[in-house]
DNA sequence: AAATACACTAGTCAGTTGACAAGTGAAAGC
DNA sequence: GCTTTCACTTGTCAACTGACTAGTGTATTT
């Protein structure tokens, strides 16, 4: 009973931290602002997460857990010899994940070059597995193209959703609309894995 | 004589502000940190630029002036009926610009949804013209594909360079290397405008 | 029913923030 | 040569930062 309460509070805090941090970045967000979003006292943050840094890591863990849940199994199942349609399906799911979680890409981009330790931790703990799966899935490409495909697809599939407010103001289309997501997925899939 | 000094100082400050702000974001950077980079006193920032916000705008102006210098003329020259090779050349130059100025894309991404006024100013003043040129250049595509092409190419051509430190740590390739830039330009150009 | 455990709050700390006020000194104008 | 201009520095301000300490109240254990 008390444990359940504890977990739900921690979750509420991580959720608030994640959304706050992906709006303005780690350093720009105060623990008090996060606490206010989570509707708890500021002291409670340092109670559950010793430092702001630890809270950042908890937010990262949550983010990659979400990604794994959404595309992990599909991505691992598709190897270099898989039929193109399977690959296309995984790419479509990745686009959809980025549309539903624009904070994922923002979190990665906002983590700048300034903090070596956080960056290294992020690469080793979370980024490397994803890159390995992607490499395996796209193993049909020439090996030297893999990093380019990874970053090209990563950027191409995310920016339109992660720069949401700018996108609708600029192009008039609504990046949250189902039709937009669908069209973006189709557009990219056709580029990367032609039928 | 004094005017020249004034201009070079202002430039030094804008330069420092730009590099600092694109590392950690607007709110996370202190005016004192910027002043230190520019090797001037903190008070001088408020002397030349009344507020931190004004300094941000000056940084944006400089960034888009750089872009215009690098690709503006080429982009405006290529219309919907231009031969593919011309379009390919502009895309290659855009990739190169993003490689040489990874701070450009970072600046755009770090500007989150939090500040309406800055975002609107950025769209109307700088983003809209670029989007219009791009639309015109890619006028051979179905109109409804234009926003998707814009964001897909924008993201695909930038992230590998703007996430520099993460990229070399993750993939082992050096995004600053000439060969990498060339390869990325070729890879993307072939995707977007097949020969 | 008394004792314990612990999720949680309030208050406090030194250090940092953006902006401003007052002063300095060297170049430009007369 | 005297005055004015102005790029620039120093010092100061209230407001805010992350982390810590000392508590409080309620559920669980004995």
């Amino acid at each position: 009973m008390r444990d359940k309460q504890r977990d739900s509070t921690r979750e509420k805090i991580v959720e608030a931290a994640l959304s706050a941090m992906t709006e303005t970045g780690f350093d720009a967000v105060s623990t008090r602002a996060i606490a206010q979003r989570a509707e708890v006292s500021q002291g409670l943050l340092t109670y559950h997460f010793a430092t702001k840094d630890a809270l950042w890591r908890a937010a990262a863990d949550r983010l990659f857990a979400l990604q794994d849940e959404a595309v992990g199994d599909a991505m691992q199942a598709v190897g270099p010899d898989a039929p193109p349609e399977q690959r296309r399906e995984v790419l479509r799911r990745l686009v959809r994940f980025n549309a539903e979680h624009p904070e994922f890409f923002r979190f990665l981009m906002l983590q700048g070059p300034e903090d070596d330790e956080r960056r290294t931790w992020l690469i080793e703990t979370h980024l490397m597995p994803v890159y390995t799966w992607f490499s395996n899935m796209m193993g049909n490409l020439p090996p030297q193209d893999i990093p380019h495909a990874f970053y090209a697809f990563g950027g191409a599939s995310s920016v339109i959703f992660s720069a949401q407010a700018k996108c609708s103001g600029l192009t008039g289309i609504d990046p949250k609309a189902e039709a937009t997501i669908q069209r973006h997925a189709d557009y990219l899939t056709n580029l990367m894995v032609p039928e």
Side-chain angles (χ1 to χ4, degrees), chain A:
Chain A
M1 178 64 206
R2 212 155 56 170
D3 280 4
K4 243 171 80 182
Q5 179 66 28
R6 176 190 161 93
D7 285 353
S8 97
T9 304
R10 288 177 62 104
E11 205 175 318
K12 206 165 59 172
I13 293 175
V14 171
E15 197 99 21
L18 193 49
S19 74
M21 284 178 179
T22 53
E23 277 178 21
T24 37
F26 179 79
D27 290 310
V29 162
S30 70
T31 52
R32 280 167 182 81
I34 295 172
Q36 200 166 12
R37 266 187 213 227
E39 294 175 299
V40 296
S41 68
Q42 187 252 351
L44 191 58
L45 299 211
T46 31
Y47 173 73
H48 281 298
F49 307 91
T51 62
K52 199 182 171 186
D53 201 277
L55 183 52
W56 178 84
R57 273 161 223 259
D61 288 343
R62 184 178 158 71
L63 215 40
F64 278 86
L66 280 172
Q67 197 209 35
D68 188 58
E69 204 180 301
V71 297
D73 56 338
M75 221 170 166
Q76 285 182 75
V78 178
D81 309 319
E85 190 42 47
Q86 274 184 33
R87 230 188 309 280
R88 290 167 62 87
E89 178 56 22
V90 174
L91 293 186
R92 266 195 285 263
R93 275 171 71 170
L94 276 166
V95 172
R96 184 160 296 277
F97 172 77
N98 284 324
E100 278 161 8
H101 298 281
E103 70 274 17
F104 183 85
F105 181 73
R106 285 194 66 79
F107 187 87
L108 295 180
M109 281 309 295
L110 295 189
Q111 172 57 25
E114 80 280 4
D115 190 316
D116 262 8
E117 224 199 304
R118 276 207 299 274
R119 197 189 59 237
T120 308
W121 176 86
L122 190 63
I123 292 176
E124 288 173 2
T125 314
H126 290 304
L127 251 26
M128 197 57 101
V130 175
Y131 183 65
T132 306
W133 295 342
F134 185 87
S135 303
N136 181 50
M137 178 177 79
M138 299 303 266
N140 59 318
L141 294 178
Q144 67 270 37
D145 274 356
I146 301 259
H148 298 281
F150 181 74
Y151 277 99
F153 182 76
S157 64
S158 304
V159 175
I160 191 171
F161 305 116
S162 299
Q164 210 185 118
K166 277 193 286 287
C167 174
S168 49
L170 187 60
T171 67
I173 69 170
D174 171 18
K176 295 241 91 165
E178 175 57 29
T180 306
I181 300 173
Q182 192 68 43
R183 183 175 285 280
H184 202 67
D186 289 343
Y187 179 78
L188 278 187
T189 309
N190 286 334
L191 277 190
M192 301 283 297
V193 187
E195 273 178 302

